[in-house]
Amino acid sequence: MYDHKSIEVKWQKYWEENNLFKADDRNTTKPKYYALDMFPYPSGAGLHVGHPEGYTATDIISRYKRMNGYNVLHPMGWDAFGLPAENYAIKMGTPPEETTNKNIATFTSQIKSLGFSYDWDREINTSSPDYYKWTQWFFLFLYKNGLAYKKNAPVNWCNSCQTVLANEQVVNGECERCQSEVEQKNMNQWFFKITEFIEDNGETSGLISGLDKIDWPESTKISQRNWIGKSEGAEVDFKIDDFDENMRVFTTRPDTLFGATYMVLAPEHSLVQKVTTEEQRAEVEKYVNETKKKTDLQRQEDEKEKTGVFTGGYAINPVNGEKLPIWIADYVLMGYGTGAIMAVPAHDERDHDFAQKFGLEIIDVIGDMEDRFQKTGGVMKNSQFLDGLGIDDAIQKMIEWLEENNCGERKTTYRLRDWLVSRQRFWGAPIPIIYCDDCGEVPVPEADLPVTLPTDVDFKPTGESPLVGSKTFHDVTCPKCNKAAKCESDTMDTFVCSSWYYFRFVDANNNQEIAAKELLNKWMPVDLYVGGAEHTVLHLLYSRFFTKALHKFGYISCDEPFMKLRHQGMILAEDGRKMSKSLGNVINPDDVVNEYGADTLRMYEMFMGPFDQSVSWNTKGTEGIYRFLQRIHRLYEEIDFTKCDCKKGDCSDAPKGMPQMLHKTIKKVTEDIENFRFNTAISQMMIFINHVSKEGTMPKPAAEIFLKLLSPFAPHIAEELWEKIGHTDSIGKEEWPKYVEALTIDDEIELVIQVNGKLRDKFNVSKDIPKEDAIAQAKELEKIQNFLEGKKVIKEIFVPGKLVNLVVK
RNA sequence: GCCGAAGUGGCGGAAUUGGUAGACGCGCGCGACUCAAAAUCGCGUUUCGCAAGAAGUGAGGGUUCGAUUCCCUCCUUCGGCACCA
């Protein structure tokens, strides 16, 4: 009987006691393989069935790679800082540390019950001082190299969470966490200079070009490129009429400069006051104030209808001296380009809408276009020295002209801004900076790290970090002059902690350095990284930035962290909706493990559908897998190997199609694992077992090979049956089976006969049948003759080993 | 609006250097075993049709001896971005 409970406990214990999954730091002969999961946030809800999907995939690969002779690093840890634990503290008074540790304990036992081959000696927890000491070290590393700086800046402020958010955490003008409206607020905040690495930086490949050398889903790369948002064009100076001052604009279409008919400033632009005339002042101020009150969300709601006000001022077009009225409008954003534009209503859709609404002039400067707003096709007109040129040539010529005449220059602009990392929260890594009245901003000396979180804290949010209220934390002495000073009271965005954790795994217990250099160079980069697609921009972009920073300053030799990336699809509830507590449709992995076992859960999640696709859970499907495992178990109990009469280890002399079935299975499973097609690997194993059941016999070598193929997917039952058929050591130590290509091809094939491309008949024949014989035999067939009657065969097509197609008329 | 992914039986899905559409699993039907049930095993299961046969991979066209696969037009769903000049 297949007793999954006792089997799974038995082998998990065996693996642990025999230290089977330790990555070997000292081995120099085996090639290394670093297989990494996105480490989870240990939430109070416990493990979700979505977690083991990715974990099973990396576990299959890890076990497979070990059997192929690799030295595998496969670690797990906890992304443990974050708001939920702190919010719980606010509500219930329980310290976040306590909540977090409790959740970690739950996650640990849940994950361990699934039999993943993690090297638990390297377990990390971002909220432990042993870890965040190095997060703080990383901050100082960036600071010392000019990549971390403080500035007063308008920031996204969530009034409900009482903290600043990164641009990436603002979704539709709302806080991604609590969905309350996000306000703009000026605050003094820490930033990381991610923009330094957009383009190649010395020897270090940039965030854009680096994408070309990594094996990631194309859609993820495109998202990253879009997020970076590179635009090439020019900045152009327009003289302001009556003032000795320039208004600088950014444009990607300098070719359309002769078509500019008005100018627009963002309402927050510093020139607004200056250019506004007395007659227009009241109206302008009213508009500016209205805009200030509007949140991003409201601005988006108004998207359809353009609004704006004429300032009364004029600017001079540098190419033709035209006087252009200067307007203010909120469709021009202060945060992008220069916060000012030249408007070309003939060739920009937004400017066109605006000009139509306010009756402004529209001058066409490109003819023969399919779409006037597209940058394709067309010939310049009404543009003096550009007339007759194509758009691309005109852009180049105009930029040259601007540069020669000192009124503009070539310019590339990016959407990506520097990363704002300050958070006014408690449950995060404290920023290791001290403010001294005499010495100013002083980094905490490395020897004094970690700056630990205090315990005398009131968690109620005040708009300042709860750390401000802690006497023990806040009051310190200046490391330079020893006078009384204040410690920075903000903590770091939790994304900082999770952007470098994969470096820590290579040397997780080192208390001298972030990780020993030789181990960084031994294990990095990560060979395979698996996790949800929701981290497409944030986490992955930040991690790449950190890697590039370390590379640039000589700490590591790779400049991309994750060579191969795969996303798992989402697992939906049986009803096709997202699993959620409120809908009551959540599947708890513990229940599945309890009822059917870890092997069933693992295999079912791999069998559900293509790995990267969302699929609905189906309880009947888990039963199907359970039945499959029971069937295997029964087969191995009942089968009598003494009946097997083949002598060779690869079963090439076994009877009844067994060699082909076996070698096809080895080939299919091997290739499917390599290509992340776990669902079809499993179906091939089912085909194999169906075949064997039908035959009622299986040669022993085939039985052994099959268990090896099964072992990465369902390791517990594989170990158990491996023992049952007489082995004393772990199946994980075996070598991965090899297939013989010639044995994967059946001697006899089913030759398909088509008439006019339609299947009419088929017959079994040797795979090597020559064309003439095949066609002659096909024509003999009764069914085929019926179709040929009274007609003429005008063409005969033969695909060796596959089909004959007779074209008749 | 833009970018991306995807549309195949009752369901999840398989098959793409163009070559038997529906592998494998679920569900369902029939049968065997059983006093009975469960489990298990066997057979069947795209639709219409008694059959021969016909239709069929979101819709419509095209290329081809042959298209789920390639090309064009369109529709739908999901995911991401969103006044980025």
Side-chain angles (χ1 to χ4, degrees), chain A residues 185-200:
Chain A
K185 196 169 165 177
N186 273 311
M187 289 182 80
N188 216 4
Q189 306 284 323
W190 284 97
F191 289 83
F192 287 164
K193 259 193 197 168
I194 189 170
T195 52
E196 279 283 300
F197 290 92
I198 292 176
E199 301 290 353
D200 295 353

Side-chain angles (χ1 to χ4, degrees), chain A residues 20-155:
Chain A
L20 287 185
F21 307 130
K22 304 293 172 222
D24 189 348
D25 287 331
R26 278 175 296 269
N27 181 293
T28 52
T29 53
K30 291 178 170 184
K32 70 96 180 177
Y33 195 85
Y34 187 173
L36 182 67
D37 292 299
M38 288 186 187
F39 66 159
Y41 173 75
S43 83
L47 201 70
H48 181 274
V49 285
H51 288 114
E53 190 183 10
Y55 303 164
T56 303
T58 52
D59 198 55
I60 290 169
I61 302 279
S62 296
R63 288 172 182 271
Y64 166 78
K65 287 288 180 186
R66 286 190 199 100
M67 291 173 85
N68 278 287
Y70 284 83
N71 182 14
V72 173
L73 171 56
H74 187 39
M76 180 44 80
W78 317 105
D79 186 13
F81 273 135
L83 274 181
E86 188 169 347
N87 289 341
Y88 190 74
I90 293 163
K91 218 162 108 188
M92 310 299 288
T94 319
E97 192 184 353
E98 203 179 309
T99 315
T100 303
N101 288 338
K102 201 178 125 229
N103 292 346
I104 287 177
T106 308
F107 264 72
T108 305
S109 79
Q110 287 185 299
I111 287 179
K112 285 192 170 175
S113 79
L114 293 169
F116 296 127
S117 62
Y118 292 124
D119 180 350
W120 286 102
D121 289 354
R122 297 169 188 256
E123 178 179 359
I124 56 174
N125 167 357
T126 59
S127 71
S128 124
D130 300 337
Y131 182 90
Y132 68 69
K133 169 178 180 177
W134 300 106
T135 304
Q136 291 168 342
W137 177 91
F138 212 106
F139 181 98
L140 295 176
F141 154 71
L142 294 174
Y143 180 79
K144 285 168 189 165
N145 290 297
L147 294 170
Y149 64 95
K150 200 173 192 188
K151 75 168 180 192
N152 196 284
V155 295

Side-chain angles (χ1 to χ4, degrees), chain A residues 62 159 194 358 371 788:
Chain A
S62 296
N159 213 12
I194 189 170
F358 294 101
D371 180 348
L788 299 183

Side-chain angles (χ1 to χ4, degrees), chain A residues 606-739:
Chain A
M606 292 300 99
F607 187 62
M608 287 177 87
F611 180 73
D612 57 0
Q613 232 166 75
S614 311
V615 222
S616 302
W617 187 267
N618 180 350
T619 301
K620 291 286 186 195
T622 57
E623 284 170 18
I625 292 291
Y626 189 54
R627 280 205 283 264
F628 174 55
L629 294 178
Q630 279 177 312
R631 240 176 128 203
I632 296 171
H633 196 269
R634 213 177 315 123
L635 197 64
Y636 276 75
E637 274 189 328
E638 289 169 358
I639 219 153
D640 182 2
F641 293 120
T642 56
K643 282 187 187 161
C644 157
D645 54 1
C646 81
K647 303 280 176 287
K648 297 189 184 167
D650 61 0
C651 293
S652 56
D653 56 345
K656 289 184 189 169
M658 174 47 85
Q660 284 76 19
M661 179 52 66
L662 180 68
H663 285 263
K664 269 188 208 170
T665 302
I666 299 171
K667 182 179 183 184
K668 179 88 177 132
V669 172
T670 305
E671 288 178 354
D672 281 353
I673 289 176
E674 294 279 356
N675 293 306
F676 264 68
R677 292 192 301 245
F678 306 111
N679 54 333
T680 49
I682 292 170
S683 82
Q684 182 61 38
M685 290 192 257
M686 289 171 168
I687 291 168
F688 179 84
I689 289 299
N690 288 347
H691 177 88
V692 173
S693 305
K694 213 168 214 168
E695 297 296 322
T697 165
M698 169 165 52
K700 189 164 185 192
E704 291 176 335
I705 286 171
F706 176 78
L707 286 182
K708 292 180 197 171
L709 299 179
L710 178 69
S711 67
F713 294 81
H716 309 88
I717 192 173
E719 290 277 23
E720 180 70 16
L721 297 176
W722 186 247
E723 188 183 61
K724 186 158 264 154
I725 62 174
H727 296 278
T728 51
D729 208 348
S730 168
I731 192 170
K733 291 186 180 170
E734 292 295 313
E735 214 176 288
W736 188 255
K738 305 262 181 299
Y739 61 89

Side-chain angles (χ1 to χ4, degrees), chain A residues 3-17 112-115 593-594 597-599 716-717 720:
Chain A
D3 176 10
H4 64 261
K5 281 189 189 164
S6 62
I7 289 178
E8 290 177 359
V9 169
K10 170 181 164 186
W11 289 105
Q12 283 165 17
K13 200 169 154 230
Y14 176 87
W15 295 329
E16 194 173 341
E17 283 171 356
K112 285 192 170 175
S113 79
L114 293 169
V593 170
N594 203 23
D599 283 339
H716 309 88
I717 192 173
E720 180 70 16

